[in-house]
Amino acid sequence: ERAKGEIQTVLKAKPDDTRALLVLAKIEFANGKRQPAELALQAALKSDPTNTAVRLMLAQLYLASADMAKARGALDAAIAAAPGKADVIHSSGLILLDAGLSDEALARFRRATDLEPKNAVYWLSAARAQAALNQPAAARESVNKALALRPDWVAAEGLLVMLDLRASGPEAAL
């Protein structure tokens, strides 16, 4: 409540402060107050229509409310607000992956890797989506691309172990 009070003090002085509105929305959302969170995010969008962080958070809020159409719209709007930005496309994929929408997430991760093929994080995210979709060969290929870019990366090695465990049981992972 103290943080919320401080943010509201900032907003009294400057009601269109996008960063303060975003923080307020995060606080409200964390406290399970979706409607006030959405109002704060909508106000932030009015003051900064191209802010992708606001749009991505709005998508998370809509997913939490099971409003898939609005969530997809917010994700698409975030990407449209930052054309060609692989990090925004990747972030939208992470949101979809967290929501269990692995096929849609994978499509976003592929777009991100097309734009920035030397980003190991994007390849690992693609591998995670492929693993969730039970595409072990494709997941292994994506992990190997991530490891070629970032050798000995623990997160990528861990995914390889998981793929081995799925394929052959515990002996294969050793």
Side-chain angles (χ1 to χ4, degrees):
E1 285 300 311
R2 180 175 173 220
K4 182 178 173 180
E6 290 175 12
I7 293 299
Q8 288 173 330
T9 301
V10 169
L11 289 170
K12 282 180 187 173
K14 191 174 177 194
D16 62 346
D17 186 315
T18 303
R19 194 165 37 198
L21 287 164
L22 183 58
V23 171
L24 178 62
K26 288 179 181 181
I27 291 169
E28 297 289 20
F29 186 65
N31 290 323
K33 298 177 181 175
R34 291 183 183 149
Q35 185 176 15
E38 183 177 3
L39 291 173
L41 291 170
Q42 293 295 350
L45 277 179
K46 282 183 185 172
S47 77
D48 186 0
T50 62
N51 189 306
T52 57
V54 172
R55 292 184 183 281
L56 292 170
M57 183 165 178
L58 200 51
Q60 289 175 308
L61 183 133
Y62 292 142
L63 282 170
S65 302
D67 191 335
M68 300 309 294
K70 282 186 175 181
R72 286 182 180 106
L75 291 171
D76 291 342
I79 292 170
K85 297 281 289 177
D87 61 327
V88 175
I89 296 167
H90 178 256
S91 293
S92 73
L94 290 175
I95 291 168
L96 291 166
L97 189 61
D98 285 346
L101 301 169
S102 303
D103 54 340
E104 292 180 53
L106 179 57
R108 310 268 173 144
F109 297 145
R110 285 184 175 149
R111 284 174 49 197
T113 59
D114 287 346
L115 289 169
E116 290 186 24
K118 293 188 185 227
N119 189 313
V121 172
Y122 299 169
W123 285 109
L124 184 61
S125 294
R128 287 182 172 143
Q130 290 161 329
L133 291 166
N134 198 25
Q135 299 173 0
R140 185 172 298 281
E141 183 179 330
S142 294
V143 171
N144 287 333
K145 287 181 181 179
L147 284 169
L149 295 165
R150 192 170 165 184
D152 301 321
W153 186 18
V154 174
E157 295 286 355
L159 186 53
L160 279 178
V161 170
M162 186 200 71
L163 291 168
D164 288 343
L165 285 169
R166 281 187 183 176
S168 306
E171 335 49 73
L174 302 175

